[in-house]
Amino acid sequence: MSLTLDIFSARAGKRVEPGELVEVDIDLVLANDITVPLSIPEFNKIGVKKVFDPRRIVLVNDHFVPNKDILSAEQAAMARRFAREQGLPYFFDVGTMGVEHALLPEQGFISPGMIMVGADSHTCTYGALGAFSTGVGSTDAAVAMATGRMWFRIPPSIQVRFEGKAKPWVGGKDFILYALSRLGVDGARYASLEFAGEAISALSMEGRLTMCNMAVELGAKNGIVAEDDVTRAYLAGRTRRPGVEPRVAWPPRTQTSSSVAVGQSKAKAADDGSYAAVHVYDASKIEPMVARPHLPSNGAAAADLSGTRIDQVVIGSCTNGRLEDLQVAARILTGRKVHPDVRCIIIPATPTIYRQAMEQGLIEAFMEAGAAVSTPTCGPCLGGYMGVLAAGERCVATTNRNFVGRMGHRTSEVYLAGPAVAAASAILGRVATPEEVA
Amino acid sequence: MAKVWRYGDNIDTDAIIPARYLNTWDAAELARHCFEDVDQTFAAGVRPGDVVVGGTNFGCGSSREHAPVALKAAGVSFVVAANYARIFFRNSINIGLPLVEAPDAVGSIKAGDDVTFDSAAGVLTNRTTGQSWTVRPFPAFLTEIVAAGGLIPLTRRRLGLEGGTSAGEGGGDAGEGDDR
């Protein structure tokens, strides 16, 4: 059975099928400083006084915080007031806040078998831990906060397997950009996107979080990876938050296998027929990738874009702002200098990551190289602040979207990449591969 | 007349409302910047009742409900597309922006055409060319959200906070159009 079918079947207390509608208890609801201002008036219209369970609501002021302007300040204040009025124990603001999808797994909110929703499209990140999580809008989030329940249409599942051993410098970002280039921005529309295979088993939790984070860029409802030793080691390393565990028991599961050859795609391929399609890629052939403007599916090998001059590099975000990403960037930036024509902005995604990066000497290496290091924020990823692009400027970013105007002026351009390509590009002032500098 | 504003495939929510305006939830202000980065004539030229027509995967990207809010506040009476990204679909239904899924029709509708939709009959008509299409109805649970005036009124009713007893079922992930 596909992982998502398994989770919903356990929750519904019966075997569910794709296309079926279920209304289930949800374990956690997330919102942030730009989505909760739309949720709060809707919540108030419902007429309930209190949220269904204060411990199962997480609010993170991360998008335009520290406040970028007066309007943003008002929105952050609105979230703050709501958290206070509702007595929410899990409200994260300047000082404790990080980019939400890096923060929640790190702070022990996520566990396998959970069902959660968040008023942010990248809520699909948490599937890396074997949870079902999906993005919703502000009105859905308001109803979820009030009732603790939500309707779902059970999605069909698409399994994407990466077999073989990844090349040096190739990580989760390269895998997901490769899958996007093959399947397109609607290649998994409405479906559950399940990642499996030898190269996924060998991938760090950080890399898995990156991949599930961008499942939505293929139109997927959620991304998910089966719980394994990597998951258990990650969970063992952190204190779990009380009151947020799954509302039904969830024993460890084993994954359904399929017999599709490397390089092949097949419909209805799983042993029990529960996958709408299975795609199998040879991980050992995947190069460090870049997605050209203006779609995340415009993938190319970074080596093929070496003539592309750039003005800015951003390393951070819910996609690639974790410690491993900063370690990869530091391996390339240490002892080198950022190109004089490039502004290099590095944003550790959470305070814990920032502190670890400091303790490991990464921040010093970045500053020595001439990069700017910022407190956690989503800021530049969505063209908010802390790195907005002027007309015609180009940026290599470890973020998730390169739509028209995403990081600034409508004629600016975003090239998506992993931290290795981003750091190498910062040094050479053009799109570059890590091999060119390290 | 219901004038068509025609856009292509994969219209993302950053195109509908750029994220730099997400520092406000004021619908009229959002409407002033609708499609600003991809069509500088839209916000000034759109008239109440106009129609937005896209291709496949309309509304992909961010979960921002500001996108359907901006379209609705700009006066757009309904959107036609071959299909929709799921969060945008849910959000539109939840806030009462009518969506028409008509993969056969979008190729025959051009910018400036006069298009109407009879929701009761499920018929989309291009009055400029005289063509019309029968549109597959939404499933009952989804129609119920629309009929209730959106997800919030339906939730109030289901919780018994309005008009007596809980009535029927609906809400949530109602918008998943493809496999209905």
Side-chain angles (χ1 to χ4, degrees):
Chain A
M1 198 182 333
S2 76
L3 296 170
T4 297
L5 277 187
D6 193 6
I7 290 174
F8 275 103
S9 295
R11 188 61 56 106
K14 60 174 180 138
R15 168 77 193 245
V16 298
E17 300 296 339
E20 190 176 337
L21 280 161
V22 294
E23 190 189 16
V24 293
D25 289 340
I26 49 180
D27 301 316
L28 205 59
V29 185
L30 165 72
N32 60 50
D33 56 302
I34 61 170
T35 55
V36 89
L38 277 175
S39 293
I40 294 168
E42 300 306 312
F43 179 87
N44 290 334
K45 276 186 218 160
I46 296 170
V48 295
K49 294 274 184 292
K50 290 284 177 188
V51 298
F52 81 103
D53 179 351
R55 293 180 305 177
R56 293 185 185 274
I57 315 292
V58 183
L59 289 190
V60 186
N61 277 353
D62 62 353
H63 274 64
F64 293 164
V65 173
N67 305 336
K68 87 177 180 87
D69 54 21
I70 293 168
L71 287 170
S72 304
E74 295 295 342
Q75 296 201 143
M78 210 171 156
R80 210 167 286 134
R81 278 195 300 274
F82 184 72
R84 229 173 259 149
E85 285 162 14
Q86 292 290 332
L88 305 184
Y90 302 133
F91 170 62
F92 295 90
D93 208 342
V94 175
T96 59
M97 76 79 173
V99 176
E100 57 202 31
H101 308 307
L103 189 72
L104 266 62
E106 172 196 285
Q107 293 296 315
F109 284 99
I110 310 298
S111 57
M114 279 182 98
I115 295 182
M116 69 156 303
V117 296
D120 187 280
S121 62
H122 292 112
T123 303
C124 55
T125 306
Y126 313 125
L129 284 151
F132 173 87
S133 61
T134 190
V136 296
S138 297
T139 298
D140 269 328
V143 172
M145 287 182 199
T147 65
R149 286 175 72 76
M150 188 168 242
W151 272 101
F152 296 94
R153 181 182 285 263
I154 304 298
S157 291
I158 295 174
Q159 193 182 63
V160 178
R161 303 178 68 88
F162 292 84
E163 300 295 354
K165 192 168 176 293
K167 287 183 178 177
W169 300 108
V170 168
K173 185 61 161 286
D174 305 292
F175 289 168
I176 192 68
L177 290 180
Y178 181 81
L180 265 157
S181 74
R182 297 291 298 266
L183 300 174
V185 289
D186 60 354
R189 210 172 52 89
Y190 283 84
S192 170
L193 195 56
E194 191 173 308
F195 301 111
E198 192 185 340
I200 302 301
S201 299
L203 194 61
S204 64
M205 182 50 68
E206 283 89 342
R208 297 174 185 190
L209 288 161
T210 300
M211 293 186 71
C212 290
N213 174 270
M214 289 188 71
V216 67
E217 313 316 337
L218 292 100
K221 184 170 198 157
N222 66 317
I224 195 161
V225 177
E227 177 186 351
D228 64 4
D229 288 344
V230 172
T231 324
R232 286 183 280 273
Y234 182 87
L235 289 168
R238 58 210 69 246
T239 309
R240 305 291 286 282
R241 296 284 174 153
V244 300
E245 47 287 312
R247 292 157 80 183
V248 298
W250 184 255
R253 300 297 215 265
T254 53
Q255 198 174 15
T256 308
S257 62
S258 70
S259 51
V260 181
V262 173
Q264 300 294 305
S265 294
K266 204 169 159 188
K268 306 278 178 203
D271 292 353
D272 66 351
S274 67
Y275 295 94
V278 175
H279 306 280
V280 186
Y281 302 134
D282 185 345
S284 70
K285 294 211 166 70
I286 296 173
E287 303 282 337
M289 295 284 294
V290 169
R292 292 161 292 141
H294 290 284
L295 283 178
S297 56
N298 286 341
D304 294 340
L305 297 175
S306 59
T308 307
R309 309 293 310 179
I310 59 168
D311 306 285
Q312 180 171 294
V313 166
V314 170
I315 298 174
S317 83
C318 59
T319 312
N320 285 108
R322 298 181 184 83
L323 186 64
E324 183 185 87
D325 302 312
L326 302 186
Q327 289 167 336
V328 168
R331 276 164 61 198
I332 291 169
L333 288 168
T334 300
R336 299 186 176 84
K337 291 287 179 194
V338 170
H339 191 279
D341 297 340
V342 174
R343 295 102 58 185
C344 181
I345 300 161
I346 301 180
I347 310 178
T350 71
T352 302
I353 294 167
Y354 200 123
R355 185 186 297 259
Q356 289 168 331
M358 225 161 39
E359 287 163 1
Q360 296 179 14
L362 311 183
I363 305 287
E364 198 180 344
F366 295 150
M367 294 184 75
E368 199 58 41
V373 183
S374 159
T375 192
T377 179
C378 305
C381 171
L382 69 167
Y385 69 142
M386 290 298 292
V388 173
L389 299 173
E393 286 191 332
R394 283 200 195 112
C395 179
V396 171
T398 67
T399 56
N400 41 57
R401 289 184 178 135
N402 56 356
F403 301 144
V404 172
R406 174 71 181 183
M407 285 185 75
H409 193 273
R410 63 187 160 79
T411 63
S412 64
E413 295 183 342
V414 179
Y415 289 70
L416 302 175
V421 167
S425 303
I427 291 164
L428 294 179
R430 57 171 174 80
V431 174
T433 64
E435 286 87 354
E436 291 180 77
V437 291
Chain B
M1 84 172 237
K3 180 190 162 189
V4 164
W5 296 80
R6 185 70 167 90
Y7 301 104
D9 292 342
N10 303 313
I11 294 299
D12 59 80
T13 55
D14 279 276
I16 299 168
I17 182 73
R20 58 184 173 275
Y21 299 115
L22 303 186
N23 57 4
T24 181
W25 65 96
D26 179 79
E29 177 65 15
L30 293 170
R32 275 192 282 280
H33 302 289
C34 195
F35 286 118
E36 181 174 286
D37 284 352
V38 293
D39 180 358
Q40 287 78 51
T41 67
F42 179 83
V46 66
R47 295 288 171 265
D50 280 1
V51 176
V52 165
V53 179
T56 59
N57 203 27
F58 189 93
C60 63
S62 146
S63 69
R64 66 192 67 160
E65 205 161 293
H66 311 67
V69 166
L71 289 168
K72 196 178 171 186
V76 171
S77 58
F78 61 94
V79 179
V80 183
N83 55 48
Y84 296 89
R86 56 168 286 276
I87 307 176
F88 178 85
F89 192 101
R90 286 178 71 124
N91 288 345
S92 299
I93 298 300
N94 286 346
I95 68 153
L97 173 69
L99 301 183
V100 178
E101 192 172 274
D104 300 336
V106 292
S108 311
I109 302 175
K110 293 186 175 59
D113 283 359
D114 179 12
V115 166
T116 60
F117 181 60
D118 179 342
S119 57
V123 175
L124 180 72
T125 304
N126 186 344
R127 291 205 287 216
T128 304
T129 63
Q131 289 169 285
S132 68
W133 300 268
T134 303
V135 176
R136 230 171 12 154
F138 290 143
F141 56 86
L142 204 152
T143 315
E144 195 186 11
I145 300 178
V146 177
L151 184 61
I152 298 297
L154 183 74
T155 303
R156 281 177 59 78
R157 208 167 76 197
R158 294 185 73 204
L159 293 173
L161 295 168
E162 189 173 82
T165 57
S166 70
E169 299 176 326
D173 218 34
E176 312 242 322
D178 258 2
D179 45 9
R180 73 177 77 118

